[in-house]
Amino acid sequence: MTVLGLGYAGFGSDALDDWREFGTSLVGLQAVERGNSLLAFRMDDRKQRIVIDRAMPKGARFFGWEVADAAALDELAARLEKAGVNVAAEPQALADARRVRGLISFRDPAGNRLEAFYGAEIDDTPFSPGRSISGFRTGPLGLGHAVLTVENITPVMAFYVDVLGFGLSDYIEKPFRAYFFHVNARHHSLALIETGKNGMHHLMVELFSLDDVGQCYDIALTQPDRIGVTLGRHTNDFMTSFYAKTPSSFMIECGWGGREIEPASWQPVEMHDGPSLWGHDRVWLSPADREVAREMRMHAAASGLRAPVQVMEGNYKLMSGTCAWWDGVKQ
C-alpha cells in the first residue's frame, strides 16, 4: 500500500486552554506551544501528532496520511489526478508547520481535508507525557485511528478503497452502519459511520497499559458529562476502551489491546454481533438504537461470545490453569 498510516490530525478550535487541560491531564499527551493560535500535542518521538488551531474555523479538520518518501508522494498525487481529484502541492511553509519534509492536499467525497506527506520530523527530546502513563502505541501503526460520520458510505468508501488503496477490514449494519479500513497491521486506521451528516466522530489513541486506560476513565468520571461512551470492548479489533468528549464536537477514544491483522491475507466479513462484546453504552445514539445495541450485547453474553486478549511481549503474566472448565474452553 502507498499509504503507511495515519500520521497526524488537526482540528479548528478557539478553546486552546480547555484542549491543553484535556489533552495533558486526561489523555496524557504532551503539550507543545506553537505561538498564540496553535497548540500541538506529542505522543511519541515525533514533533507533533495532534494540532489544535485557533485560526481554523470551528469544526474544520485535516488528516495527514504518511507515505514512504518523495517518490511515493508523487505516485499518489498522480493516482489522485488520474481519478479526477484536485491535488495541491503545498508550499514548504505549510510542510514546516506540519513538521514534515513535503506534502500534498486534497479532499475526500465527504469534504474532509486530507494531506499526504513524507519525512516526519523526530524531536531531539524524549516524549514527556502530561500525566503518568506508560506511553502510546504508534510507530508503524500510526497515530491511531480516525472515525468519520458520512451522509452516504458508498461513494466515500469507493474513494478510500479504489483510489487511496485502503483495505476493508470488516463492517456492521446494526445498530448503525459502519465500515472499517486498514492501511497497516492496525485493524483499522479509518472507519466510516453512516449518519446522514458529514462530520468527525472520534479519534482513537492506544495506550500500552490497560491500567493507563482505567486510570484515565477514573479521571473522566470526575468531570461532568465527559463520558461519551462507557468502558467496553469491541468485537472486531478487540480494543478495551472508553470515549471522552473533547472540548470540540467529537470524542477521543482511549484504548488498549487492539489486535493486529495481516493486510495481505485479511478477508473482510460482516460482523453480526454488534460493535461491542460488553459495555460501550453510546450516549450519542438515539434511545431506540441504544436499546438495539444493548440487546445485541445481552445476546453476545448469553451466547458466550469471547475474544482472546491482545498483549505484547512482557506486558502480561501467565497464570497456571486451575479450572477444568476453562481449560476445556481454551481447547
Side-chain angles (χ1 to χ4, degrees), residues 54-73:
R54 193 198 306 270
M56 289 171 53
K58 183 179 179 180
R61 55 195 174 271
F62 59 83
F63 303 96
W65 295 97
E66 186 168 9
V67 300
D69 49 32
L73 191 65

Side-chain angles (χ1 to χ4, degrees), residues 69-85:
D69 49 32
L73 191 65
D74 290 341
E75 176 189 337
L76 178 59
R79 187 196 312 168
L80 288 162
E81 289 173 343
K82 184 178 180 180
V85 178

Side-chain angles (χ1 to χ4, degrees), residues 248-316:
S248 298
S249 58
F250 66 93
M251 298 177 289
I252 282 187
E253 178 185 7
C254 297
W256 171 84
R259 76 191 299 185
E260 290 189 10
I261 65 170
E262 176 49 61
S265 59
W266 185 260
Q267 295 297 314
V269 296
E270 180 179 356
M271 304 293 292
H272 295 284
D273 298 304
S276 301
L277 286 159
W278 54 268
H280 282 159
D281 191 24
R282 294 163 171 82
V283 302
W284 54 272
L285 283 177
S286 68
D289 285 343
R290 287 180 74 178
E291 183 57 33
V292 171
R294 189 174 297 111
E295 290 175 357
M296 296 182 83
R297 295 197 303 272
M298 293 300 101
H299 182 267
S303 63
L305 185 64
R306 304 288 185 269
V309 175
Q310 309 295 297
V311 294
M312 297 176 295
E313 187 66 38
N315 198 21
Y316 63 94

